[in-house]
Amino acid sequence: MNLNALIDYFKDVFNQSENPTCYFAPGRVNIIGEHTDYNGGHVLPCAIHLGTYIMAKKTVGKSIRLFSINFKETGIIETEISHISNKYENGWANYPLGIIKTLIDKGYQIDSGIDILVAGDLPNGAGLSSSASIELATIFAINDIYHLNLNRLEMVKLSQTSENEFNGVMCGIMDQFACGMGKKNHAILLHAHKLDFSYVPLSLQNNCLIIINSNQRRGLINSGYNQRRLECIEALQAFKEILKINSLCDMTPDIFENHQHLIHSETLLKRTRHVVQENHRTLIAFEALRDGRLKTLGRLMNESHASLRDDFEVSTSELDLLTDLALNNGAIGSRMMGAGFGGCTINLVAQQIIVDFMDNVGKHYHDQTGYTADIYIVNSDDGARKLEFTME
Ligand code: GLA
């Protein structure tokens, strides 16, 4: 991204003469650990080089003005600081506005207006955490500009609160955590309730992580996601009658096997099986990555996909096809990534075959579905940050 061009754009759009300050927050991929975060389990994400850029500057008035280069046709969205609400017509801007409103509601002093220009290179709604990325970039900007003295973890938690309460998506904390706490060349093993975490070097030997965006139309993601959360809560209630647990991931696979009779619904049983086994897989995957056993990591990714498809039922026929094509074309591991109901797959692929891999998977996917997949290599990156720049 050319920062000088973004700064010029900012001055032009908002008719400002002074330079804004610049911030960046990455998106994330999740190597394994899907739908475990809100069940008190582990996840293994890493921040990536694609993300959201924010140029921002305080103004003298009391209004917030927002403009996104990715949604130019929407124009400037303007609202008074004291009147922020979630409006359908605000579209993308409901994410940064949610952050500001959440901060105000928590008592932080945001007493004068601000102009915010947003630009991003993450595909929207593809499962790479475009929303957490814009949330973290916004909160980093607001924290810096209004001198709020929040630390990283507080910003991560407030971003999740904002998405839960302002945007009505009952997401766990994985995405915000990865976008806020990411470390270049590392993945993060996170226990999503205790927030204990450790970095593990992302040593992929001669392999790389390839993202394949199915580009299928994504329907009902938020309602499907929230429904899965409710099913997990219901399952937890049943186990809690006998077991002393606070979340589904407090069960090991053995404990789960021995107490399956507590659940009478086949659907809830399947949901729980996925969650418990996925949490277990994530811990084994962490060790495999740490010890350089990448075939084991790949196998666990494949098992994760099967479980998300058959037990958690959040995959789609397009994502299933993409994982089949990936494995038939030499991937070591392939699985759907993120919430599901569309979006991306993540693939562990040997560098020496990537050109053929991309060509073949892309071609067969298009032949069989009519959709054109976007396929690209992702690199890890650091978490949200202020960008220093020198004017050309
Ligand atoms: C979305 C949510 C995360 C997590 C994943 C599924 O990305 O934002 O909190 O639950 O889905 O693993």
Side-chain angles (χ1 to χ4, degrees):
M1 201 61 79
N2 179 338
L3 290 189
N4 285 299
L6 289 184
I7 288 164
D8 288 343
Y9 213 112
F10 174 93
K11 289 173 162 175
D12 204 35
V13 163
F14 295 116
N15 202 12
Q16 283 242 26
S17 55
E18 288 177 45
N19 285 337
T21 31
C22 312
Y23 306 85
F24 172 75
R28 66 99 188 91
V29 293
N30 186 22
I31 298 171
I32 197 164
E34 224 62 270
H35 290 275
T36 45
D37 62 350
Y38 55 85
N39 286 304
H42 293 86
V43 291
L44 190 61
C46 71
I48 59 171
H49 68 289
L50 304 171
T52 309
Y53 295 77
I54 277 192
M55 312 281 126
K57 182 138 199 80
K58 238 184 192 176
T59 56
V60 285
K62 294 277 182 203
S63 49
I64 301 166
R65 295 192 296 173
L66 302 127
F67 183 88
S68 170
I69 293 186
N70 299 72
F71 297 95
K72 289 192 187 112
E73 62 290 351
T74 314
I76 293 179
I77 290 163
E78 184 163 358
T79 179
E80 292 296 296
I81 299 175
S82 52
H83 283 86
I84 302 174
S85 62
N86 185 325
K87 293 198 193 115
Y88 177 77
E89 61 271 23
N90 288 343
W92 67 272
N94 281 318
Y95 289 99
L97 287 173
I99 292 290
I100 299 173
K101 178 82 166 86
T102 301
L103 288 168
I104 293 171
D105 289 350
K106 299 273 176 201
Y108 292 98
Q109 278 287 310
I110 297 180
D111 42 14
S112 64
I114 188 165
D115 287 340
I116 297 177
L117 179 105
V118 175
D121 47 18
L122 279 171
N124 287 311
L128 295 174
S129 290
S130 52
S131 25
S133 174
I134 193 171
E135 287 157 8
L136 263 299
T138 307
I139 203 161
F140 259 71
I142 301 291
N143 182 49
D144 187 48
I145 290 171
Y146 293 89
H147 309 295
L148 304 184
N149 284 321
L150 294 163
N151 66 35
R152 263 178 199 271
L153 197 54
E154 286 167 333
M155 289 192 263
V156 164
K157 289 184 191 167
L158 286 164
S159 297
Q160 185 201 13
T161 303
S162 172
E163 184 150 345
N164 289 168
E165 293 176 6
F166 192 84
N167 304 101
V169 182
M170 294 310 298
C171 62
I173 202 164
M174 166 171 71
D175 301 352
Q176 289 78 9
F177 198 95
C179 299
M181 307 288 285
K183 185 168 162 186
K184 200 173 171 62
N185 298 324
H186 290 78
I188 314 170
L189 179 73
L190 168 71
H191 186 286
H193 277 184
K194 294 186 201 144
L195 299 185
D196 290 344
F197 66 99
S198 52
Y199 293 109
V200 52
L202 194 60
S203 307
L204 298 178
Q205 298 158 19
N206 292 326
N207 304 290
C208 55
L209 291 176
I210 293 189
I211 291 301
I212 308 182
N213 185 352
S214 65
N215 279 325
Q216 66 184 113
R217 276 194 35 200
R218 230 172 159 190
L220 300 176
I221 166 159
N222 290 351
S223 57
Y225 184 89
N226 288 348
Q227 188 204 5
R228 290 298 179 281
R229 274 204 80 150
L230 293 174
E231 287 168 351
C232 291
I233 292 171
E234 201 183 329
L236 177 62
Q237 291 314 326
F239 284 109
K240 263 184 153 175
E241 292 190 0
I242 300 289
L243 295 171
K244 279 203 171 125
I245 56 171
N246 293 319
S247 49
L248 290 180
C249 290
D250 288 346
M251 284 188 280
T252 60
D254 282 349
I255 294 180
F256 167 67
E257 292 297 329
N258 294 333
H259 292 86
Q260 289 190 35
H261 58 276
L262 296 175
I263 300 267
H264 304 297
S265 143
E266 182 58 28
T267 302
L268 296 189
L269 204 56
K270 290 205 288 184
R271 304 297 186 252
T272 313
R273 186 184 306 128
H274 165 76
V275 168
V276 171
Q277 292 184 347
E278 180 78 352
N279 185 43
H280 183 64
R281 269 191 291 274
T282 305
L283 290 169
I284 304 176
F286 164 77
E287 290 171 356
L289 178 60
R290 185 194 59 197
D291 302 342
R293 287 180 283 111
L294 296 186
K295 281 208 173 121
T296 303
L297 178 62
R299 176 179 53 77
L300 293 163
M301 290 169 72
N302 299 338
E303 287 174 16
S304 168
H305 182 79
S307 174
L308 288 158
R309 180 192 62 210
D310 301 336
D311 280 344
F312 216 65
E313 297 181 286
V314 289
S315 187
T316 61
S317 54
E318 287 82 356
L319 293 170
D320 295 344
L321 174 64
L322 281 176
T323 55
D324 285 347
L325 290 172
L327 294 176
N328 291 340
N329 283 282
I332 302 170
S334 177
R335 62 175 206 86
M336 57 143 279
M337 191 183 69
F341 308 99
C344 294
T345 62
I346 179 168
N347 306 271
L348 183 61
V349 181
Q351 273 162 7
Q352 71 204 45
I353 66 162
I354 50 181
V355 175
D356 286 347
F357 176 86
M358 289 180 171
D359 282 356
N360 291 337
V361 173
K363 180 179 176 312
H364 288 297
Y365 180 68
H366 184 264
D367 288 350
Q368 293 184 47
T369 63
Y371 292 117
T372 303
D374 288 321
I375 310 183
Y376 38 87
I377 299 172
V378 283
N379 299 314
S380 62
D381 201 351
D382 290 322
R385 56 200 182 258
K386 188 171 183 175
L387 298 176
E388 305 301 339
F389 68 97
T390 41
M391 285 302 278
E392 274 164 10

